[in-house]
Amino acid sequence: MKLLTAFSLALFNVPTATTASYTPPSSNYYRCLTDTEASAISTALANGETIDLFPSKAQSDQSSYWEVEYHGTYKILRNTQPDVNTTYLLYQCGLDAPVVEEKVDGIFHVPFTGGLVVTDTTQIPFIEILNRRSQIVAFAVPENLISSPCLVEDIIPAGKEDGTITFLPLYNDTALDSFLKEHNRTLAFGGPWDENLTMKNKVIISSVAESPALAAEQGRDVNQAIFEWLEVYGAFFNEEHLANETVEETRARYDCHTENAMIVAEERRREMLEEDKSRLPLVLWAYHMQDYNGTDIGWDVGECPNYYCTYASNCMVNILNSTEGSVDYYGYTYMSDDEFLEFGKDADVWIYPSSNWNSLVTQKADYLSDFKSVQNMEVYDYQLSGESAWFEQRMAEYDNVLLDFCEVAKRDIDPTHGRKWFRNVYIEGVGSLGACSDPDEPYMPRVTECLKLEENGGGADSYSSSGYTSLGKTLVAWLLMSLVSISVLW
Ligand SMILES: *[C@@H]1O[C@H](CO)[C@@H](O)[C@H](O)[C@H]1NC(C)=O
Ligand SMILES: *[C@@H]1O[C@H](CO)[C@@H](O)[C@H](O)[C@H]1NC(C)=O
Ligand SMILES: *[C@@H]1O[C@H](CO)[C@@H](O)[C@H](O)[C@H]1NC(C)=O
Ligand SMILES: *[C@@H]1O[C@H](CO)[C@@H](O)[C@H](O)[C@H]1NC(C)=O
Ligand SMILES: *[C@@H]1O[C@H](CO)[C@@H](O)[C@H](O)[C@H]1NC(C)=O
Ligand SMILES: *[C@@H]1O[C@H](CO)[C@@H](O)[C@H](O)[C@H]1NC(C)=O
Ligand SMILES: *[C@@H]1O[C@H](CO)[C@@H](O)[C@H](O)[C@H]1NC(C)=O
């Protein structure tokens, strides 16, 4: 009976509806709704119509720690990292904030047009890819750790001068909280290790907490999982479409490079002497740790699973990894010099994930000369794009990191790829990210497109001295095809 009444009322309402009626949008709104649009939607909702203002949606595929639920006029974003467990309500701007039953830790209109506070440099490329650089109003990170050329050269100097950009002290919740209270149309992106996870107007982003162990266990890829957080940022700006497209394109390149690495590894294997065929290149991932006043602590060595272990597996090489070590420093384990020499001396390649190689070499030249990688000058740090860029930008370019890793590990997949991150400490200088071309343009990750190599059955090529036989063939095929299409055009 009730249903029937509602139904008749709905029918009755149709002819009396005013001029505006709800038309489902074909893409998410990049603006607030007008009053007319908003009232048409309220009417449609009251009539029981199904509304979907967000045809483009975010969906986690590789990430473990986020989900977005769509409810027509609003979204519920959950950070599901066990130690975080926060929920945010994002509603279409121009409508009133809906009342929801569950407890939420923050309410934001979308697209969010207020100011943004950065509390970790890893947040920067995500904001820049979505072209929201100009919305940044504060940084709770030291200025000298920021690498983005457009922020460093344009936005920050201009903003400091006209007072539109503030630098807040690092890890100081009191200072951040009072800034957010003073600037109440501002959203801070926080991190999973923040002391206060439920500060008003702060959203916890757990990209860097994505668990390599969980990913390995579930057959997912932790590098992809981290980058997929772009879709979470996207949800705040109704940019789900752009975010998904960028995530998918990056994933496709990464997957394609990974498949090529298998083919290259197989080619290298065929070139090897019979007795060496079971031996894969061996990578050492380790750096030397000192305390604040320069006293030796020990060697921090790679532990698997971890993101760099995923790179090693994808490049079809082995990585030395260990949790052992006799040095204990504030609960962390390090190897002594003797232990580390025994552990790492036979590695073919040494990736040194720190920026202090030069000072180390002056202190320990003799000791280091016993390492095979040092003898062969196969030592790389992460400074080819600058001293801090690795921490800020590499997660947004994880496909380039893969190519770099494979190349230094003797699995050069693509000879056209110019290394971006790993710097040979003997022959290359510390690099930079280059200059900002236009601060109003989105950040475009540096891309090496993937040309799929063809699988090669072996035989004639087995003893080829060229590592790029397959690539050569593909290139020739491609050139021929282009010639054909050109002649057709002519
Ligand atoms: C993301 O893009 C891919 C490829 O274009 C598409 O197949 C997929 O459905 C999109 N995902 C969502 C959640 O829209
Ligand atoms: C997450 O928080 C909600 C309340 O906000 C609670 O009901 C739920 O049990 C929590 N889940 C976990 C896994 O802690
Ligand atoms: C945090 O910042 C406030 C100013 O907002 C300052 O008074 C306080 O001393 C700072 N706390 C620490 C631990 O530095
Ligand atoms: C934001 O601050 C302004 C004053 O600067 C105040 O009028 C307004 O009520 C505040 N809004 C909220 C939601 O606290
Ligand atoms: C977190 O910050 C909010 C203010 O934004 C405050 O009300 C709350 O008590 C803080 N929680 C903790 C655990 O400090
Ligand atoms: C070095 O720093 C530690 C604290 O990290 C301190 O205990 C020690 O006295 C310092 N040593 C020297 C020689 O300054
Ligand atoms: C980590 O080390 C173990 C031996 O300690 C080795 O079996 C394993 O393959 C290494 N992991 C990777 C990803 O190479």
Side-chain angles (χ1 to χ4, degrees), residues 372-429:
K372 180 177 167 186
S373 52
V374 171
Q375 290 158 10
N376 294 337
M377 303 208 307
E378 290 288 354
V379 182
Y380 299 83
D381 70 11
Y382 55 50
Q383 297 191 88
L384 205 50
S385 286
E387 194 176 331
S388 317
W390 171 255
F391 298 103
E392 177 177 316
Q393 307 274 340
R394 81 169 143 80
M395 294 176 189
E397 278 188 22
Y398 68 95
D399 52 330
N400 280 330
V401 182
L402 173 71
L403 284 172
D404 272 28
F405 196 111
C406 292
E407 185 186 324
V408 303
K410 310 286 164 254
R411 294 285 189 244
D412 8 9
I413 303 171
D414 183 346
T416 69
H417 171 67
R419 250 182 298 118
K420 304 288 187 286
W421 297 107
F422 296 134
R423 170 186 81 111
N424 186 308
V425 298
Y426 295 103
I427 55 180
E428 289 166 331

Coordinates of all heavy atoms in Angstrom, one line a residue, residues 372-429:
K372 N 83.8 -7.7 -5.4 CA 83.9 -7.8 -6.9 C 83.2 -6.7 -7.6 O 83.7 -6.2 -8.6 CB 83.2 -9.1 -7.2 CG 83.1 -9.5 -8.7 CD 82.4 -10.8 -8.9 CE 82.0 -11.1 -10.3 NZ 81.2 -12.3 -10.4
S373 N 82.1 -6.2 -7.1 CA 81.4 -5.1 -7.7 C 82.2 -3.8 -7.8 O 82.1 -3.0 -8.7 CB 80.0 -4.8 -7.0 OG 80.3 -4.6 -5.6
V374 N 83.0 -3.6 -6.7 CA 83.9 -2.4 -6.7 C 85.0 -2.6 -7.7 O 85.3 -1.7 -8.4 CB 84.4 -2.2 -5.2 CG1 85.5 -1.1 -5.2 CG2 83.2 -1.9 -4.3
Q375 N 85.6 -3.8 -7.7 CA 86.7 -4.1 -8.6 C 86.2 -3.8 -10.1 O 87.0 -3.3 -10.9 CB 87.2 -5.5 -8.5 CG 87.9 -5.8 -7.2 CD 88.0 -7.2 -6.8 OE1 87.6 -8.1 -7.6 NE2 88.4 -7.5 -5.6
N376 N 85.0 -4.2 -10.4 CA 84.4 -4.0 -11.7 C 83.7 -2.7 -11.9 O 83.1 -2.5 -13.0 CB 83.5 -5.2 -12.0 CG 84.1 -6.5 -12.1 OD1 85.4 -6.6 -12.3 ND2 83.4 -7.6 -11.9
M377 N 83.8 -1.8 -11.0 CA 83.2 -0.5 -11.0 C 81.7 -0.6 -11.4 O 81.2 0.1 -12.2 CB 83.9 0.4 -12.0 CG 85.4 0.6 -11.7 SD 86.1 2.1 -12.2 CE 85.7 2.2 -13.9
E378 N 81.0 -1.6 -10.7 CA 79.6 -1.8 -10.9 C 78.8 -1.4 -9.6 O 78.1 -2.2 -9.0 CB 79.3 -3.3 -11.3 CG 79.8 -3.7 -12.6 CD 79.0 -3.1 -13.8 OE1 77.9 -2.5 -13.5 OE2 79.4 -3.3 -14.9
V379 N 79.0 -0.2 -9.2 CA 78.3 0.3 -8.0 C 77.5 1.5 -8.4 O 77.9 2.4 -9.1 CB 79.3 0.8 -6.9 CG1 78.6 1.2 -5.7 CG2 80.3 -0.4 -6.6
Y380 N 76.2 1.5 -8.0 CA 75.2 2.5 -8.4 C 74.5 3.0 -7.1 O 74.0 2.2 -6.3 CB 74.2 1.9 -9.3 CG 74.8 1.4 -10.6 CD1 75.3 0.1 -10.7 CD2 74.8 2.1 -11.8 CE1 75.9 -0.4 -11.8 CE2 75.3 1.7 -12.9 CZ 75.9 0.4 -13.0 OH 76.4 -0.1 -14.1
D381 N 74.4 4.4 -7.0 CA 73.5 4.9 -6.0 C 72.2 5.4 -6.7 O 72.0 5.1 -7.9 CB 74.2 5.9 -5.1 CG 74.5 7.2 -5.9 OD1 74.0 7.4 -7.0 OD2 75.2 8.1 -5.3
Y382 N 71.4 6.1 -6.0 CA 70.1 6.5 -6.6 C 70.0 8.0 -7.0 O 68.9 8.5 -7.2 CB 68.9 6.2 -5.6 CG 69.0 6.8 -4.2 CD1 69.3 8.2 -4.1 CD2 68.8 6.1 -3.1 CE1 69.4 8.8 -2.9 CE2 69.0 6.7 -1.8 CZ 69.2 8.0 -1.7 OH 69.3 8.6 -0.5
Q383 N 71.2 8.6 -7.3 CA 71.2 10.0 -7.4 C 71.2 10.6 -8.8 O 71.5 11.7 -9.1 CB 72.4 10.6 -6.7 CG 72.3 10.4 -5.2 CD 73.4 11.2 -4.5 OE1 73.2 12.3 -4.1 NE2 74.6 10.6 -4.3
L384 N 70.8 9.7 -9.8 CA 70.9 10.2 -11.2 C 69.8 11.3 -11.5 O 70.0 12.1 -12.4 CB 70.7 9.0 -12.2 CG 71.3 9.2 -13.6 CD1 72.8 9.7 -13.5 CD2 71.3 7.9 -14.3
S385 N 68.8 11.4 -10.6 CA 67.8 12.5 -10.8 C 67.9 13.5 -9.6 O 67.0 14.3 -9.4 CB 66.4 12.0 -10.9 OG 66.2 11.4 -12.1
G386 N 69.0 13.4 -8.9 CA 69.2 14.4 -7.8 C 69.3 13.6 -6.4 O 69.0 12.4 -6.4
E387 N 69.6 14.4 -5.4 CA 69.8 13.8 -4.1 C 68.6 13.2 -3.4 O 68.6 12.2 -2.8 CB 70.5 14.8 -3.2 CG 71.2 14.1 -2.0 CD 71.9 15.2 -1.1 OE1 72.4 16.1 -1.7 OE2 72.0 14.9 0.1
S388 N 67.4 14.0 -3.5 CA 66.2 13.5 -2.8 C 65.1 13.1 -3.7 O 64.1 12.6 -3.2 CB 65.7 14.7 -2.0 OG 66.7 15.4 -1.3
A389 N 65.3 13.2 -5.0 CA 64.2 12.9 -6.0 C 63.7 11.5 -5.8 O 62.5 11.2 -6.0 CB 64.6 13.2 -7.4
W390 N 64.7 10.6 -5.5 CA 64.4 9.2 -5.4 C 63.2 9.0 -4.4 O 62.3 8.2 -4.7 CB 65.6 8.5 -4.9 CG 65.5 7.0 -4.5 CD1 65.5 6.6 -3.2 CD2 65.4 5.9 -5.3 NE1 65.3 5.2 -3.2 CE2 65.3 4.7 -4.5 CE3 65.3 5.7 -6.7 CZ2 65.2 3.5 -5.0 CZ3 65.2 4.4 -7.2 CH2 65.1 3.3 -6.4
F391 N 63.2 9.7 -3.3 CA 62.1 9.5 -2.3 C 60.8 10.1 -2.8 O 59.8 9.5 -2.5 CB 62.6 10.1 -1.0 CG 63.8 9.4 -0.4 CD1 65.0 10.0 -0.5 CD2 63.7 8.1 0.1 CE1 66.2 9.4 0.0 CE2 64.8 7.5 0.6 CZ 66.1 8.1 0.5
E392 N 60.9 11.2 -3.4 CA 59.7 11.9 -3.8 C 59.0 11.3 -5.1 O 57.8 11.1 -5.1 CB 60.1 13.4 -4.1 CG 59.0 14.2 -4.6 CD 59.4 15.7 -4.7 OE1 60.1 16.2 -3.8 OE2 59.1 16.3 -5.7
Q393 N 59.8 11.0 -6.1 CA 59.2 10.8 -7.4 C 59.3 9.3 -7.9 O 58.6 9.0 -8.8 CB 60.0 11.6 -8.5 CG 60.0 13.1 -8.1 CD 58.8 13.9 -8.6 OE1 58.1 13.4 -9.5 NE2 58.6 15.0 -8.0
R394 N 60.1 8.5 -7.3 CA 60.3 7.2 -7.9 C 59.1 6.3 -7.9 O 58.9 5.5 -8.8 CB 61.5 6.4 -7.2 CG 61.1 5.7 -6.0 CD 62.1 4.8 -5.4 NE 62.2 4.8 -4.0 CZ 61.4 4.2 -3.2 NH1 60.4 3.5 -3.7 NH2 61.5 4.3 -1.9
M395 N 58.2 6.5 -6.9 CA 57.0 5.6 -6.8 C 56.1 5.9 -8.0 O 55.2 5.1 -8.3 CB 56.3 5.8 -5.5 CG 57.1 5.3 -4.3 SD 56.3 5.6 -2.8 CE 57.6 5.2 -1.7
A396 N 56.2 7.2 -8.5 CA 55.3 7.6 -9.6 C 55.9 7.2 -10.9 O 55.4 7.4 -12.0 CB 55.0 9.1 -9.5
E397 N 57.2 6.6 -10.9 CA 57.9 6.2 -12.1 C 58.4 4.8 -11.9 O 59.5 4.5 -12.2 CB 59.1 7.2 -12.3 CG 58.7 8.4 -13.0 CD 60.0 9.2 -13.4 OE1 61.1 8.6 -13.5 OE2 59.8 10.4 -13.5
Y398 N 57.6 4.0 -11.3 CA 58.1 2.7 -10.9 C 58.5 1.8 -12.2 O 59.2 0.9 -12.1 CB 57.2 1.9 -10.0 CG 55.9 1.5 -10.6 CD1 55.7 0.2 -11.1 CD2 54.8 2.4 -10.7 CE1 54.5 -0.2 -11.7 CE2 53.6 2.0 -11.2 CZ 53.4 0.7 -11.7 OH 52.2 0.3 -12.3
D399 N 57.9 2.2 -13.3 CA 58.2 1.5 -14.6 C 59.7 1.9 -15.0 O 60.4 1.0 -15.5 CB 57.2 1.8 -15.7 CG 57.0 3.3 -15.9 OD1 57.1 4.1 -14.9 OD2 56.7 3.7 -17.0
N400 N 60.1 3.1 -14.8 CA 61.4 3.5 -15.1 C 62.4 2.8 -14.1 O 63.5 2.5 -14.5 CB 61.6 5.0 -14.9 CG 61.1 5.7 -16.2 OD1 61.2 5.1 -17.3 ND2 60.6 6.9 -16.0
V401 N 62.0 2.7 -12.8 CA 62.9 2.1 -11.9 C 63.2 0.7 -12.3 O 64.3 0.2 -12.2 CB 62.3 2.2 -10.4 CG1 63.3 1.5 -9.4 CG2 62.0 3.6 -10.0
L402 N 62.1 0.0 -12.8 CA 62.3 -1.4 -13.3 C 63.3 -1.4 -14.4 O 64.3 -2.3 -14.4 CB 61.0 -1.9 -13.7 CG 61.0 -3.3 -14.4 CD1 61.4 -4.4 -13.4 CD2 59.7 -3.6 -15.1
L403 N 63.2 -0.6 -15.4 CA 64.1 -0.6 -16.5 C 65.6 -0.3 -16.0 O 66.5 -0.9 -16.5 CB 63.7 0.5 -17.5 CG 62.5 0.1 -18.4 CD1 62.1 1.3 -19.3 CD2 62.9 -1.0 -19.3
D404 N 65.7 0.7 -15.1 CA 67.0 1.0 -14.5 C 67.6 -0.2 -13.8 O 68.8 -0.5 -14.0 CB 66.8 2.1 -13.5 CG 66.9 3.5 -14.1 OD1 66.6 3.7 -15.3 OD2 67.4 4.4 -13.4
F405 N 66.8 -0.8 -13.0 CA 67.2 -2.0 -12.2 C 67.7 -3.1 -13.1 O 68.8 -3.6 -13.0 CB 66.1 -2.5 -11.3 CG 66.6 -3.4 -10.2 CD1 66.5 -3.0 -8.9 CD2 67.0 -4.7 -10.5 CE1 66.9 -3.8 -7.8 CE2 67.5 -5.5 -9.4 CZ 67.4 -5.1 -8.1
C406 N 66.9 -3.4 -14.1 CA 67.3 -4.5 -15.1 C 68.6 -4.1 -15.8 O 69.4 -4.9 -15.9 CB 66.2 -4.7 -16.1 SG 64.6 -5.4 -15.4
E407 N 68.7 -2.9 -16.2 CA 69.9 -2.5 -17.0 C 71.1 -2.6 -16.1 O 72.1 -3.2 -16.6 CB 69.7 -1.0 -17.4 CG 70.9 -0.6 -18.3 CD 70.9 0.9 -18.7 OE1 69.8 1.4 -18.9 OE2 72.0 1.4 -18.8
V408 N 71.1 -2.1 -14.9 CA 72.4 -2.2 -14.1 C 72.6 -3.7 -13.7 O 73.8 -4.1 -13.5 CB 72.4 -1.3 -12.9 CG1 72.2 0.1 -13.3 CG2 71.4 -1.7 -11.8
A409 N 71.6 -4.5 -13.7 CA 71.7 -5.9 -13.4 C 72.0 -6.8 -14.6 O 71.7 -8.0 -14.6 CB 70.5 -6.4 -12.6
K410 N 72.5 -6.2 -15.7 CA 72.9 -6.9 -16.9 C 71.7 -7.5 -17.6 O 71.8 -8.6 -18.2 CB 73.9 -8.0 -16.6 CG 75.1 -7.5 -15.8 CD 76.0 -6.7 -16.6 CE 77.0 -5.9 -15.7 NZ 76.7 -4.5 -15.6
R411 N 70.6 -6.8 -17.5 CA 69.4 -7.3 -18.2 C 68.8 -6.1 -19.0 O 67.7 -5.8 -18.9 CB 68.3 -7.8 -17.2 CG 68.7 -9.0 -16.5 CD 68.6 -10.2 -17.3 NE 68.7 -11.4 -16.6 CZ 69.7 -12.3 -16.8 NH1 70.7 -12.0 -17.6 NH2 69.7 -13.4 -16.1
D412 N 69.7 -5.4 -19.8 CA 69.2 -4.2 -20.5 C 68.1 -4.6 -21.5 O 68.4 -5.1 -22.5 CB 70.3 -3.4 -21.1 CG 71.7 -4.1 -21.1 OD1 71.7 -5.3 -20.7 OD2 72.7 -3.5 -21.5
I413 N 66.9 -4.2 -21.1 CA 65.8 -4.6 -21.9 C 65.6 -3.7 -23.1 O 65.3 -4.2 -24.2 CB 64.5 -4.4 -21.1 CG1 64.6 -5.2 -19.8 CG2 63.3 -4.8 -21.9 CD1 63.4 -4.9 -18.8
D414 N 65.9 -2.4 -23.0 CA 65.6 -1.5 -24.0 C 66.8 -0.5 -24.1 O 67.0 0.3 -23.3 CB 64.3 -0.7 -23.7 CG 64.0 0.2 -24.8 OD1 64.8 0.5 -25.7 OD2 62.8 0.7 -24.8
P415 N 67.6 -0.6 -25.2 CA 68.8 0.2 -25.4 C 68.4 1.7 -25.5 O 69.3 2.5 -25.4 CB 69.5 -0.3 -26.6 CG 68.4 -1.1 -27.3 CD 67.5 -1.6 -26.3
T416 N 67.2 2.0 -25.8 CA 66.8 3.4 -25.9 C 66.5 4.0 -24.6 O 66.3 5.3 -24.5 CB 65.6 3.6 -26.9 OG1 64.4 3.0 -26.2 CG2 65.8 2.9 -28.2
H417 N 66.3 3.2 -23.6 CA 66.0 3.8 -22.2 C 67.2 4.5 -21.7 O 68.3 3.9 -21.5 CB 65.6 2.7 -21.3 CG 65.4 3.1 -19.9 ND1 64.4 4.0 -19.5 CD2 66.1 2.8 -18.8 CE1 64.5 4.2 -18.2 NE2 65.6 3.5 -17.7
G418 N 67.1 5.8 -21.4 CA 68.1 6.5 -20.7 C 67.9 6.3 -19.2 O 66.8 6.6 -18.7
R419 N 68.9 5.8 -18.5 CA 68.6 5.5 -17.0 C 68.2 6.8 -16.3 O 68.7 7.9 -16.7 CB 69.9 5.0 -16.4 CG 69.8 3.6 -15.9 CD 71.1 3.1 -15.3 NE 72.2 3.1 -16.2 CZ 73.3 3.9 -15.9 NH1 73.4 4.6 -14.9 NH2 74.3 3.8 -16.8
K420 N 67.3 6.7 -15.3 CA 66.8 7.9 -14.7 C 67.2 8.0 -13.2 O 67.2 9.0 -12.6 CB 65.3 7.9 -14.7 CG 64.6 7.8 -16.0 CD 64.8 9.1 -16.8 CE 64.0 9.0 -18.2 NZ 64.6 8.2 -19.1
W421 N 67.5 6.8 -12.6 CA 67.7 6.8 -11.1 C 69.1 6.3 -10.7 O 69.7 6.9 -9.9 CB 66.6 5.9 -10.5 CG 65.3 6.5 -10.7 CD1 64.3 6.0 -11.6 CD2 64.7 7.7 -10.1 NE1 63.2 6.8 -11.5 CE2 63.4 7.8 -10.7 CE3 65.2 8.6 -9.2 CZ2 62.6 8.9 -10.3 CZ3 64.4 9.7 -8.9 CH2 63.1 9.8 -9.4
F422 N 69.5 5.1 -11.2 CA 70.7 4.5 -10.7 C 71.9 5.2 -11.4 O 72.0 5.1 -12.6 CB 70.7 3.0 -10.8 CG 69.6 2.4 -10.0 CD1 68.7 1.4 -10.5 CD2 69.4 2.8 -8.7 CE1 67.7 0.9 -9.8 CE2 68.3 2.3 -7.9 CZ 67.5 1.3 -8.5
R423 N 72.8 5.7 -10.6 CA 74.0 6.4 -11.1 C 75.2 5.6 -10.8 O 75.5 5.2 -9.7 CB 74.1 7.7 -10.3 CG 75.4 8.5 -10.5 CD 75.4 9.7 -9.6 NE 75.9 9.3 -8.3 CZ 77.0 9.7 -7.7 NH1 77.9 10.4 -8.4 NH2 77.3 9.3 -6.5
N424 N 76.0 5.3 -11.8 CA 77.3 4.6 -11.6 C 78.2 5.6 -10.9 O 78.5 6.7 -11.4 CB 77.9 4.2 -12.9 CG 79.2 3.4 -12.7 OD1 80.1 3.8 -12.0 ND2 79.2 2.2 -13.3
V425 N 78.6 5.3 -9.6 CA 79.3 6.2 -8.8 C 80.7 6.6 -9.3 O 81.3 7.5 -8.8 CB 79.4 5.7 -7.3 CG1 78.0 5.6 -6.7 CG2 80.1 4.4 -7.2
Y426 N 81.2 5.8 -10.2 CA 82.5 6.0 -10.7 C 82.5 6.9 -11.9 O 83.5 7.6 -12.2 CB 83.2 4.7 -11.1 CG 83.4 3.8 -9.9 CD1 82.5 2.7 -9.6 CD2 84.4 4.1 -9.0 CE1 82.7 1.9 -8.5 CE2 84.6 3.3 -7.8 CZ 83.7 2.2 -7.6 OH 83.9 1.5 -6.5
I427 N 81.5 6.8 -12.8 CA 81.6 7.6 -14.0 C 80.5 8.6 -14.3 O 80.5 9.3 -15.2 CB 81.7 6.6 -15.2 CG1 80.5 5.6 -15.2 CG2 83.0 5.8 -15.2 CD1 80.5 4.6 -16.4
E428 N 79.5 8.6 -13.4 CA 78.4 9.5 -13.6 C 78.2 10.5 -12.4 O 78.5 10.1 -11.3 CB 77.1 8.8 -13.8 CG 77.1 8.0 -15.1 CD 76.0 7.0 -15.3 OE1 75.5 6.4 -14.3 OE2 75.5 6.8 -16.4
G429 N 77.8 11.7 -12.7 CA 77.6 12.7 -11.7 C 76.2 12.7 -11.1 O 75.4 12.0 -11.7

